[in-house]
Amino acid sequence: MNKNIAVIRGDGIGPEIIREALRVLDKIAELYGHSFEYTEVDMGGCAIDKWGDPLPKEMLDKAIASDSVLLGAVGGEKWNDVPSTMRPEKGLLRLRAGMGVYANNRPAKIWKQLSDASPLRKEIVDQGIDFIIVRELIGGIYFGEHKTVGDTATDVLTYSEAEIERIGRIGFETARKRNHRLCSVEKSNVLDSSRLWKKVMHRLAAEYPDVTLTDMLVDNCAMQIVKNPKQFDVIVTENMFGDILSDEASQITGSIGMIPSSSLGSTSCGLYEPIHGSAPDIAGKDIANPIGTILSAAMMLRYSFDMEAEAKAIEDAVSAFLDQGYRTADIMSEGMQQVGCTQCGSLILENLR
Ligand code: IPM
Ligand code: MG
């Protein structure tokens, strides 16, 4: 198959981790007889420096015209003082909205080789951690009006039934492909938007009788994720709750550096990115963990290009890398062999066949 992939290297460690993911994609192309072409797209701080805009219109157009987008990370202290509408993160939010990718899928799964890296007690980890957070990505408080007048700042949180319904369906369908348990997370004891959220979820439940729907308040969910993560199969939640809970969920699996994500809308063109940030403090030192990005590329193959065997080959190569005792700095433990970003990529490549 011939695919055109838009590549956003971004800021900080973005270029280093993307480089390793592209080497993996090139090897997959060679092994399976595909052809992947890459279109470079500038976004984030580097686009501000080059074009005076975190996501110029032509760049968004290139991303939308591609078969899918692979993103490293954006942002950094250097751009802290630019106006809020011009921050690197604004580029990312405009990209997500412009692509219409409303459903963000963030797996929290513990690799058996890394169970020691989890900050949770061994008996909790041993029960298994394997759930997915389905996060609404282009609505809610992120996209409401933001304003500061005098000494008062306002951010508006709005959801329509239609917006809740389309993400709700993704939640139910994801649960259907897994263990048929869906937990809808909201704050309906305080927020109107959450009461609407809960109502729509329960209305949808009638269409998915094979899925068990439960409700949980977001503060309780934050607690349950560390107390008893095994109870979760699929969590569906709004934009900001999903942002916060997915960082928490990633940490209990050992390292945020390992977690990929997919974001999809109504077409097969998706956005794939690791859930960690641009880590400017370690940029350029060749010590970043490229695995979250490499696994994001695997998700792209699976969900946007329907290349299941190829995706599985990448995941198996990562697993073999861990089995062989190699670790990047963020997941290093006693007795293991520490490797840098480039070497990590090379070792994963060697395991690909
Ligand atoms: C994430 C990030 C982004 C978000 C930031 C960089 C805007 O934290 O992808 O989780 O809040 O969505
Ligand atoms: Mg986040």
Side-chain angles (χ1 to χ4, degrees):
M1 262 194 258
N2 216 323
K3 295 289 178 192
N4 179 4
I5 301 172
V7 174
I8 304 177
R9 297 175 195 265
D11 310 315
I13 59 171
E16 306 163 44
I17 55 183
I18 285 284
R19 196 183 318 124
E20 300 316 309
L22 296 187
R23 288 168 73 203
V24 168
L25 283 173
D26 285 340
K27 182 81 182 275
I28 287 286
E30 184 192 312
L31 291 173
Y32 290 83
H34 301 304
S35 147
F36 299 140
E37 270 171 46
Y38 307 118
T39 303
E40 299 283 337
V41 168
D42 299 328
M43 187 181 90
C46 58
I48 298 175
D49 290 349
K50 199 161 154 195
W51 309 102
D53 184 332
L55 183 66
K57 168 123 192 355
E58 314 81 82
M59 295 295 160
L60 173 61
D61 290 344
K62 279 195 205 178
I64 292 173
S66 72
D67 291 313
S68 262
V69 181
L70 184 66
L71 163 65
V74 297
E77 260 168 40
K78 183 177 168 199
W79 302 280
N80 269 357
D81 296 327
V82 302
S84 65
T85 52
M86 276 292 160
R87 285 183 64 96
E89 292 80 2
K90 267 285 175 253
L92 176 57
L93 298 182
R94 264 156 49 194
L95 178 71
R96 290 171 177 171
M99 291 178 70
V101 288
Y102 61 85
N104 180 218
N105 180 324
R106 298 187 164 185
K109 186 173 170 169
I110 193 139
W111 291 80
K112 63 175 191 315
Q113 301 95 330
L114 298 183
S115 54
D116 287 347
S118 173
L120 295 186
R121 279 206 314 275
K122 192 174 177 308
E123 44 293 16
I124 298 180
V125 174
D126 286 349
Q127 290 171 7
I129 300 174
D130 182 4
F131 63 95
I132 287 185
I133 296 181
V134 174
R135 168 187 176 196
E136 199 291 324
L137 201 59
I138 58 174
I141 202 162
Y142 274 59
F143 291 90
E145 189 192 1
H146 307 287
K147 65 174 182 200
T148 305
V149 179
D151 62 358
T152 305
T154 308
D155 299 282
V156 177
L157 166 50
T158 305
Y159 270 109
S160 69
E161 290 203 11
E163 284 175 299
I164 300 170
E165 185 171 324
R166 66 182 181 180
I167 190 69
R169 288 192 183 283
I170 303 291
F172 279 102
E173 271 149 33
T174 307
R176 202 165 242 185
K177 289 189 207 127
R178 293 175 48 100
N179 297 316
H180 301 256
R181 288 184 288 122
L182 180 64
C183 180
S184 163
V185 172
E186 29 70 3
K187 187 74 185 171
S188 57
N189 53 349
V190 177
L191 302 176
D192 267 45
S193 56
S194 281
R195 282 191 279 274
L196 185 66
W197 180 279
K198 190 171 173 183
K199 185 178 105 185
V200 173
M201 289 298 158
H202 281 269
R203 190 169 71 211
L204 281 176
E207 292 178 45
Y208 301 88
D210 53 321
V211 175
T212 308
L213 174 69
T214 51
D215 305 298
M216 197 177 276
L217 296 173
V218 62
D219 47 350
N220 183 27
C221 182
M223 182 175 77
Q224 295 297 334
I225 282 177
V226 290
K227 196 175 165 200
N228 176 16
K230 177 153 193 352
Q231 71 186 287
F232 297 110
D233 180 21
V234 179
I235 288 175
V236 63
T237 192
E238 64 96 60
N239 202 344
M240 191 161 72
F241 297 160
D243 178 46
I244 299 167
L245 294 178
S246 62
D247 266 35
E248 186 193 13
S250 71
Q251 198 52 45
I252 64 167
T253 69
S255 171
I256 194 168
M258 299 289 297
I259 313 276
S261 80
S262 69
S263 303
L264 284 155
S266 53
T267 71
S268 65
C269 176
L271 170 63
Y272 297 85
E273 51 175 317
I275 81 161
H276 61 72
S278 60
D281 52 322
I282 59 163
K285 296 186 179 157
D286 197 34
I287 55 173
N289 182 350
I291 295 179
T293 316
I294 290 171
L295 294 173
S296 297
M299 280 183 119
M300 169 186 290
L301 301 182
R302 173 175 294 122
Y303 296 120
S304 286
F305 303 163
D306 216 5
M307 298 178 180
E308 175 59 33
E310 292 85 335
K312 181 85 178 18
I314 296 177
E315 290 159 356
D316 288 347
V318 169
S319 190
F321 163 89
L322 297 173
D323 282 338
Q324 289 154 357
Y326 298 113
R327 301 287 185 268
T328 46
D330 56 318
I331 51 174
M332 184 58 191
S333 62
E334 220 188 300
M336 299 292 133
Q337 189 177 335
Q338 189 165 328
V339 298
C341 184
T342 316
Q343 206 191 345
C344 172
S346 302
L347 290 161
I348 290 171
L349 277 182
E350 277 173 28
N351 283 315
L352 257 185
R353 61 196 115 234

Coordinates of all heavy atoms in Angstrom, one line a residue, residues 13 51 58 110 141 145 183 209 213 217-218 228 240 246 283 291 294 304 314:
I13 N 12.2 17.2 22.6 CA 12.6 15.8 22.1 C 11.9 15.4 20.9 O 12.2 14.3 20.4 CB 12.5 14.8 23.3 CG1 11.0 14.7 23.7 CG2 13.4 15.1 24.4 CD1 10.7 13.6 24.7
W51 N 7.4 30.9 11.2 CA 6.3 31.5 10.5 C 5.5 32.5 11.3 O 4.6 33.1 10.8 CB 5.3 30.4 10.0 CG 6.0 29.3 9.2 CD1 6.2 28.0 9.7 CD2 6.4 29.3 7.9 NE1 6.8 27.2 8.7 CE2 6.9 28.0 7.6 CE3 6.4 30.2 6.8 CZ2 7.4 27.6 6.4 CZ3 6.9 29.9 5.6 CH2 7.5 28.6 5.4
E58 N -1.5 26.7 5.8 CA -1.0 25.7 4.8 C -0.6 24.4 5.5 O -0.6 23.3 4.9 CB 0.2 26.2 4.0 CG 0.2 27.6 3.4 CD 0.5 28.7 4.5 OE1 1.7 28.9 4.8 OE2 -0.4 29.2 5.1
I110 N 0.0 -2.2 31.6 CA 1.3 -2.4 32.1 C 2.1 -3.5 31.3 O 1.5 -4.5 31.0 CB 1.2 -2.8 33.6 CG1 2.6 -2.7 34.3 CG2 0.6 -4.1 33.9 CD1 2.6 -2.0 35.6
I141 N -14.1 22.7 27.9 CA -13.5 23.9 28.4 C -12.3 24.3 27.5 O -11.9 25.5 27.4 CB -13.1 23.8 29.9 CG1 -13.0 25.2 30.5 CG2 -11.9 23.0 30.1 CD1 -13.1 25.1 32.0
E145 N -15.0 29.9 25.3 CA -14.4 31.2 25.3 C -13.4 31.3 26.4 O -13.7 30.9 27.5 CB -15.5 32.3 25.4 CG -15.0 33.6 25.2 CD -15.9 34.8 25.5 OE1 -17.1 34.5 26.0 OE2 -15.5 35.9 25.4
C183 N -17.1 2.7 31.8 CA -17.3 3.6 33.0 C -17.3 5.0 32.5 O -16.3 5.5 31.9 CB -16.1 3.4 34.0 SG -16.3 4.4 35.4
P209 N -26.9 -3.2 24.8 CA -27.2 -4.1 25.9 C -26.1 -5.0 26.4 O -26.1 -5.5 27.5 CB -28.5 -4.9 25.4 CG -28.4 -4.8 23.9 CD -27.7 -3.5 23.6
L213 N -22.8 -0.4 31.6 CA -22.4 1.0 31.9 C -22.4 1.3 33.4 O -23.4 1.0 34.0 CB -23.4 1.9 31.1 CG -23.2 3.4 31.4 CD1 -21.9 3.9 30.8 CD2 -24.3 4.2 30.8
L217 N -17.9 9.6 39.6 CA -17.5 11.0 39.7 C -16.0 11.1 39.5 O -15.2 10.2 39.9 CB -17.9 11.6 41.0 CG -19.4 11.6 41.3 CD1 -19.7 12.1 42.7 CD2 -20.1 12.6 40.3
V218 N -15.5 12.1 38.8 CA -14.1 12.2 38.4 C -13.1 12.2 39.6 O -12.1 11.6 39.5 CB -13.9 13.4 37.5 CG1 -14.2 14.7 38.2 CG2 -12.5 13.4 36.9
N228 N -7.6 0.6 42.8 CA -8.0 -0.6 42.2 C -8.1 -0.5 40.7 O -9.2 -0.5 40.1 CB -9.3 -1.0 42.9 CG -9.9 -2.3 42.3 OD1 -9.2 -3.0 41.6 ND2 -11.2 -2.5 42.5
M240 N -11.1 17.7 29.5 CA -10.2 18.1 30.6 C -10.0 16.9 31.6 O -8.9 16.6 32.1 CB -10.5 19.4 31.3 CG -9.3 19.8 32.2 SD -9.3 21.5 32.7 CE -10.7 21.5 33.8
S246 N -5.6 10.7 32.2 CA -4.7 9.9 31.4 C -3.2 10.0 31.8 O -2.4 9.1 31.7 CB -4.8 10.2 29.9 OG -4.5 11.5 29.6
A283 N 16.1 17.5 25.9 CA 16.2 17.5 24.4 C 17.6 17.6 23.9 O 18.5 18.2 24.6 CB 15.4 18.7 23.9
I291 N 9.7 5.1 22.6 CA 8.8 3.9 22.5 C 7.3 4.4 22.3 O 6.6 3.9 21.6 CB 8.9 2.9 23.6 CG1 10.3 2.3 23.5 CG2 7.9 1.9 23.6 CD1 10.7 1.2 24.6
I294 N 7.0 5.3 18.8 CA 7.0 4.1 17.9 C 5.7 3.3 18.0 O 5.2 2.9 17.0 CB 8.3 3.2 18.3 CG1 9.6 3.9 17.9 CG2 8.2 1.8 17.7 CD1 10.8 3.3 18.5
S304 N -5.7 3.3 11.2 CA -5.9 4.1 10.0 C -5.7 3.4 8.7 O -6.3 3.6 7.7 CB -5.1 5.4 10.0 OG -5.7 6.4 10.9
I314 N 5.5 -4.5 15.2 CA 6.2 -3.4 16.0 C 6.0 -3.6 17.5 O 7.0 -3.5 18.2 CB 5.6 -2.0 15.6 CG1 5.9 -1.7 14.1 CG2 6.2 -0.9 16.5 CD1 5.3 -0.4 13.6

